[in-house]
Structure formats: structure tokens, C-alpha cells
Amino acid sequence: MGSLNFKIIYRFLGITAILNGLFMFISFPFSFFNDEKEAWGILNAGIITVFIGYMLFYFNKTKNTHIHKKEGYLIVTLGWLTLTFTGMLPYLLSGAIPNLANAIFETISGYSTTGASILADIDGTSKGILFWRSATHWIGGMGIIVLTIAILPLLGIGGMQLFMAEAPGPSADKLHPRITDTAKRLYLIYVSLTFAEFFLLKMAGMTWFDAINHAMATMSTGGFSTKTDSVAFYNGQPLIQYIIIFFMIVAGTNFVLSYYALKGKVQKVFQSEEFKYYFFGILGVTAIVAVLILFFQDPNLNTVLAHPEVYGKTESAFRHALFMVTSVVTTTGFVTADFTMWNYFATGIFFALFFTGGSAGSTSGGVKVVRHIIMLKNSFLEFKKALHPNAIIPVRYDGKSVNPQIVFNILSFFIIYMLIFILASVTLTFLGLDFMSALGASASCLGNIGPAIGSVSPVDNYHHLSDAAKYFCSFLMLIGRLELFTVLILFTPFFWSKN
């Protein structure tokens, strides 16, 4: 394969930084027109970021514009680090988050669409910073790498390797044979759904500022809110919460299926095996949790019945159960109630949901539903093979045989995922967290979820963690967002060999 083409890598990172800086310029007016002191810090951050990007792009011209697989992996990981180290500048230069560990944590949490925060008083945070937080979600949701693929042909650079490294899930279904057209269609869907949710939330009673921020955070399955109480602030407005539930489900669905649905081919959606498990799984778990809320709340947990604000206890129990189950499964992380205060069994259910994730090809994080389906099918086939050792019985998914190599890859992914979770939990206890909080934080950060259990429950945040723990959680969020292998492969000696 030869040596790495660092000029094309730097050139790509330059494009990434320039686009990141442009979003900072969009954030600037929100502070400037509200006479906020943070405005000039945001503007300066944008200028610095665009300058860095321009220098990287301009001084690394090269005739060899082909991207090999090695460059693809390196560009995606370094691209995310470029986003992080430039994306934290608005926090640092504006003084909104002066501590470096906090700024890195909040920034990676944004781009990785985790939604874990160190900010205690979100209501008192400037509008420019709040918009920038939501923008980091929106940029990271589909991946600025995919966005850049859409314009790479203008620069004479091909991008299939980048798409395969960046696209979430075990496979990258394409809407069109040309990868650039796929990227454009993905972003058209992403932008359209964001504006649709913004419009509906505004009509339902949100301010236009809150509506655009929550729309960006929902479609990216991020979870940063403009309210300290998150979506619980709107517990008296059920319509707003149902709108967010709908778009969380859509955001956690494979975007290829969303494309088919928008084209009127709804039957293709319900023909998808993964979507059926994902959608009906959410409804089934919601029913269990709603029953637990209604009839089995532990009085020792000192809570009232899930805020029966408008339509009574039954509707309230169903709505809060559906919202929180959807929020955790899609790894969005919005909160309407504290599930750790409902019932110990309910807390156990939600902890198990930390390891599910949404659909492959969506903006959600986590293990992904399709991996669980294939692992379960493969496990059941092992029983058949025990009785019929000479039989060749392939794993079938969506009516087709699954390549054994894909099955092995999925099993490897899950083993490594669980191994990292265990090691991360032990590490966080060493860094000062109690056992329950360490389990919750490691599962939540690795799965890009946000709220967890213990001292990082849905009504708490991550501010109390030590700086070392914040850096470690930031690393977990990064490798979780890029699905482990994309980052971890860089730590292997054979990646850097010239063979």
C-alpha cells in the first residue's frame, strides 16, 4: 500500500476546520444581538478556526488525490480531533467554559452526539454558546466527513474510503451508486427533517430559538437542551414531547428507510427486519415500564407518579415511559423524568437499554439493533449445529444469507465493546467514581447516551468528575461514536507498516 499521503490528509482536515469555523460565525449573531459578552470570543474562535483550516488546505496541494483505506481511517479520526480542538475554542475564548478538561468534554460530547454535560446552569448560559452546543451535535450527527464527501468532487478527491469508515453500523447502505450522490441525499433528508421538526415544535409552543436547538439535538440524537431541566421543562405541554418522541424514532431509524418513506415506499420500511425489532421493541419495553410506573413504584425512592400534568396518570405514565425508552434506545439522552427514581427494576431495564442502540445507518450510537439480531440468530443456529454438525446453515437476515465474515466481525465488535466497557468501569472507579456511577458513566459514554445511573443520573451531570475522569470519558465518547475499530486500528503496529 505504500506510505501514507499526509498532504491529502492535511488538506482534508483543512476543509473540516473551515466548515467548523463557518458554523461558529453562524453562532456569533445569537450572542451579538443579545448583547452577550461571549459574542467576541465566539467570533474570534471562528476566525482562528477558518485561518487554521485555510493554512492546512492551501499549503498541502498535491497531484495524488486518491484516498486509500489507511488514509480514510486516519482522516476520520483526525477529523474528529480537529473538530474537537477547534470546537472547544468558543467555550475557552468566550469564558463560558474556562477549564480545559471541561471544554474538551463538552465539545466531544457535542460532536459525538452523547449529550453528557458539565454545565450546571444551562438556563443562564448565553444564547450564542447554547446554539454552538447544538451546532456541534448537528455537525456530528451525520458526520461532517459525509458532508465533505458531497463537495470532494469539486476538489478532485474521491471519498468512498471515508464513507465506509464514517458511516455508522456494520454496513453502509447506499441510496445511489455514486457515493457523492449518496452523501447529498443523506444530508437533504437530514436537513429536511430538522426543519420539519423545528416548524412543528414552534407551532406547538416553543420559542423559535428553543425549537431550532431542540430540532438539531433531536435529529442528531444528541440531547443537548436549552433548559437545565431538559425536556422535563415542557412536562405541561405533552404535544411538544410527542413531537420530539416521533423525531427521535425517525433519527434512530436507518436513513435509507427514511428516504424510502419520503418517496412513498412505506412498505419497504416495515419489510426491514431491523426496523421491526427496533420499533416494536421500543413499544414493548415502553409497555413494561409504564406498568411499573403505574403499579410498582417503590415508595422508598421518594417520587411521585411521573408528573400527571395534563391527561391523567395513565397517559402521563405512558408518555414518560415512551419518551425515556426512546431517548435511551436512540441514544438521544433528552430527559422528561428520572428513571432511576421510578423502580429498581425499571432502572435495571434502562441500564440494559444502554447496550442496544438504534438502527445501523442512523445518527444514533450504541451497539445497533442489527448486530443484536445477527448475534442472536447465530447463537440459536449453534443449537441446531450441535444436533446436525454436518449441516451448513447460514445466518439469514432480511431473507438473505449473511456472509460469515460479517458475523465474525459483529461478534468481534461486541466482544471488544464489552471488554472496553468492563475496563472503562474499573478505570473510572480508580479515578474516583463509586461502582454504580462508574458502570453508568462508562456504558453511557461508550454508547453516546448521556444520562446514566448513580451520580450521573438523568437529573445530574458530569461536572463533579475529576479532570482525569473527564478526559477518559471523552476518549470513550470518541471511540464509541466512531464504532471502536476506526480509532483503535490506529494503535496497532500493522496499521503503520508500509506493507
Side-chain angles (χ1 to χ4, degrees):
M1 185 174 289
S3 60
L4 290 163
N5 183 356
F6 281 101
K7 284 201 170 186
I8 196 65
I9 293 171
Y10 294 143
R11 199 163 168 81
F12 189 93
L13 298 183
I15 301 169
T16 304
I18 290 170
L19 291 172
N20 208 30
L22 294 178
F23 274 94
M24 294 178 197
F25 291 146
I26 297 171
S27 304
F28 167 69
F30 290 96
S31 272
F32 180 77
F33 290 111
N34 284 284
D35 294 322
E36 296 169 342
K37 67 180 188 305
E38 290 84 358
W40 300 110
I42 296 172
L43 179 63
N44 290 335
I47 293 170
I48 293 170
T49 300
V50 170
F51 176 75
I52 291 171
Y54 176 77
M55 297 294 282
L56 283 169
F57 181 77
Y58 183 78
F59 288 105
N60 287 287
K61 293 178 181 178
T62 175
K63 292 181 180 179
N64 180 13
T65 58
H66 185 70
I67 300 175
H68 295 285
K69 187 173 286 187
K70 278 190 176 183
E71 279 101 358
Y73 282 114
L74 200 57
I75 285 171
V76 170
T77 302
L78 291 180
W80 234 258
L81 292 175
T82 300
L83 289 174
T84 298
F85 291 117
T86 56
M88 69 180 179
L89 292 178
Y91 299 130
L92 293 172
L93 297 183
S94 69
I97 306 177
N99 177 275
L100 181 62
N102 286 345
I104 289 178
F105 183 94
E106 196 79 8
T107 307
I108 289 189
S109 180
Y111 288 119
S112 65
T113 71
T114 303
S117 182
I118 52 82
L119 293 176
D121 181 19
I122 295 172
D123 292 300
T125 303
S126 76
K127 280 186 165 57
I129 292 298
L130 289 178
F131 185 84
W132 174 242
R133 288 171 83 238
S134 301
T136 60
H137 270 346
W138 201 77
I139 295 166
M142 182 64 71
I144 200 169
I145 309 301
V146 178
L147 170 64
T148 313
I149 287 171
I151 65 169
L152 282 180
L154 302 176
L155 309 171
I157 302 171
M160 171 61 88
Q161 289 84 355
L162 300 184
F163 184 77
M164 295 305 294
E166 163 59 19
S171 64
D173 292 323
K174 294 180 283 292
L175 309 178
H176 193 275
R178 292 186 61 194
I179 192 68
T180 52
D181 290 325
T182 295
K184 291 172 185 175
R185 281 167 171 76
L186 288 173
Y187 255 93
L188 181 61
I189 296 168
Y190 192 53
V191 172
S192 301
L193 290 172
T194 303
F195 275 101
E197 185 183 0
F198 160 70
F199 176 76
L200 290 174
L201 289 175
K202 180 69 177 71
M203 295 293 290
M206 270 192 181
T207 66
W208 71 269
F209 180 76
D210 290 339
I212 189 62
N213 279 273
H214 283 87
M216 287 195 293
T218 304
M219 286 314 303
S220 62
T221 64
F224 279 156
S225 175
T226 54
K227 306 295 181 185
T228 303
D229 293 334
S230 188
V231 185
F233 180 86
Y234 301 100
N235 279 344
Q237 298 169 273
L239 179 58
I240 286 176
Q241 296 181 344
Y242 281 119
I243 290 170
I244 292 175
I245 289 169
F246 172 78
F247 281 96
M248 283 195 294
I249 291 173
V250 171
T253 301
N254 190 322
F255 269 59
V256 176
L257 296 182
S258 298
Y259 175 79
Y260 288 137
L262 291 171
K263 294 282 284 185
K265 300 177 181 178
V266 181
Q267 75 278 5
K268 284 202 170 226
V269 177
F270 287 95
Q271 285 170 357
S272 167
E273 201 169 341
E274 182 184 34
F275 180 79
K276 286 186 281 190
Y277 276 92
Y278 163 71
F279 182 72
F280 292 109
I282 287 175
L283 293 183
V285 176
T286 295
I288 295 170
V289 173
V291 169
L292 291 174
I293 294 171
L294 279 169
F295 302 110
F296 297 99
Q297 281 211 91
D298 191 331
N300 295 322
L301 292 180
N302 188 28
T303 183
V304 296
L305 175 62
H307 316 288
E309 303 91 350
V310 181
Y311 300 118
K313 291 183 177 180
T314 302
E315 185 279 333
S316 181
F318 170 78
R319 172 163 41 92
H320 287 285
L322 178 60
F323 191 101
M324 292 307 299
V325 168
T326 304
S327 181
V328 171
V329 168
T330 62
T331 72
T332 305
F334 279 139
V335 172
T336 60
D338 184 359
F339 58 74
T340 65
M341 301 296 283
W342 283 342
N343 176 281
Y344 289 120
F345 183 39
T347 303
I349 290 174
F350 278 99
F351 184 71
L353 292 179
F354 287 177
F355 299 92
T356 55
S359 304
S362 71
T363 58
S364 65
V367 176
K368 302 291 193 304
V369 174
V370 65
R371 287 194 176 101
H372 287 290
I373 294 172
I374 291 175
M375 282 191 296
L376 286 171
K377 286 191 172 189
N378 184 68
S379 298
F380 283 121
L381 279 182
E382 290 302 317
F383 291 114
K384 282 188 178 181
K385 290 175 182 177
L387 294 173
H388 308 284
N390 296 322
I392 300 174
I393 313 171
V395 175
R396 300 187 71 82
Y397 174 74
D398 274 346
K400 300 174 184 176
S401 297
V402 179
N403 188 321
Q405 187 60 48
I406 293 177
V407 178
F408 296 147
N409 289 346
I410 289 172
L411 292 173
S412 299
F413 175 89
F414 190 73
I415 291 169
I416 294 173
Y417 191 96
M418 295 308 296
L419 181 62
I420 291 174
F421 162 68
I422 293 168
L423 293 175
S425 300
V426 173
T427 302
L428 286 174
T429 58
F430 175 75
L431 294 175
L433 273 71
D434 63 89
F435 181 64
M436 290 296 289
S437 301
L439 288 177
S442 59
S444 180
C445 290
L446 190 60
N448 305 132
I449 296 161
I453 59 175
S455 63
V456 287
S457 73
V459 294
D460 298 301
N461 67 15
Y462 290 71
H463 186 269
H464 64 280
L465 271 64
S466 66
D467 284 358
K470 287 170 186 168
Y471 286 128
F472 183 71
C473 285
S474 298
F475 175 71
L476 292 179
M477 289 188 280
L478 178 66
I479 64 173
R481 174 61 181 88
L482 298 181
E483 304 232 329
L484 308 186
F485 293 155
T486 307
V487 179
L488 297 182
I489 197 172
L490 303 184
F491 294 93
T492 59
F494 46 82
F495 178 86
W496 300 99
S497 67
K498 293 185 179 181
N499 297 324

